[in-house]
Amino acid sequence: MSWAIKKEDKYTVYKPVNLSEEELIHAFGLLDPTDHKIVDCSEVCFTEGVKKIVSQNYEAHLEQHRSFIVVVETKEDLEALEELFIVVPTISEAIDYIYMEELERNI
């Protein structure tokens, strides 16, 4: 299994099990964009290949009107990635972001 998965009512939290670039790219390629996701990438090294596949997943989720929130550990990652996809520093903030987006979609 490529992911440790925790399913909740309104979203699912994914945490990669293997952090090699090849395995990460493969694991992200398997994600289905039809539900709201929080992806815990706090231990991930964002190479260009990883950034590209995460961005593609983000775009696919947007097309389906689904949330795709990435959790990163460092301020540097937040600043470097915030223009590519939604990044937050904690799972708690990611959960809040999903509920906020859901409210906006219902207005």
Side-chain angles (χ1 to χ4, degrees):
M1 164 134 303
S2 302
W3 299 101
I5 301 170
K6 182 179 178 190
K7 182 84 171 136
E8 300 292 341
D9 286 340
K10 302 239 182 215
Y11 59 89
T12 305
V13 179
Y14 290 79
K15 183 170 178 105
V17 175
N18 188 322
L19 299 175
S20 75
E21 179 179 21
E22 183 179 316
E23 286 292 322
L24 281 169
I25 290 170
H26 176 72
F28 273 102
L30 298 174
L31 292 179
D32 178 21
T34 60
D35 67 339
H36 301 297
K37 288 182 187 60
I38 296 171
V39 184
D40 184 355
C41 290
S42 56
E43 298 176 11
V44 169
C45 176
F46 282 93
T47 62
E48 289 305 313
V50 172
K51 287 180 197 177
K52 181 178 178 182
I53 193 74
V54 174
S55 292
Q56 290 170 348
N57 270 270
Y58 173 71
E59 293 297 327
H61 280 74
L62 280 182
E63 289 174 9
Q64 296 292 322
H65 303 288
R66 299 292 182 252
S67 298
F68 186 83
I69 315 299
V70 179
V71 177
V72 296
E73 187 169 82
T74 67
K75 183 178 180 182
E76 291 80 20
D77 280 343
L78 278 170
E79 292 171 354
L81 301 170
E82 66 186 356
E83 292 187 19
L84 301 174
F85 39 83
I86 304 298
V87 289
V88 296
T90 66
I91 297 283
S92 175
E93 287 182 62
I95 293 167
D96 290 345
Y97 203 100
I98 283 178
Y99 283 105
M100 184 179 67
E101 282 190 335
E102 187 172 313
L103 283 172
E104 288 176 358
R105 279 192 280 275
N106 291 330
I107 293 180

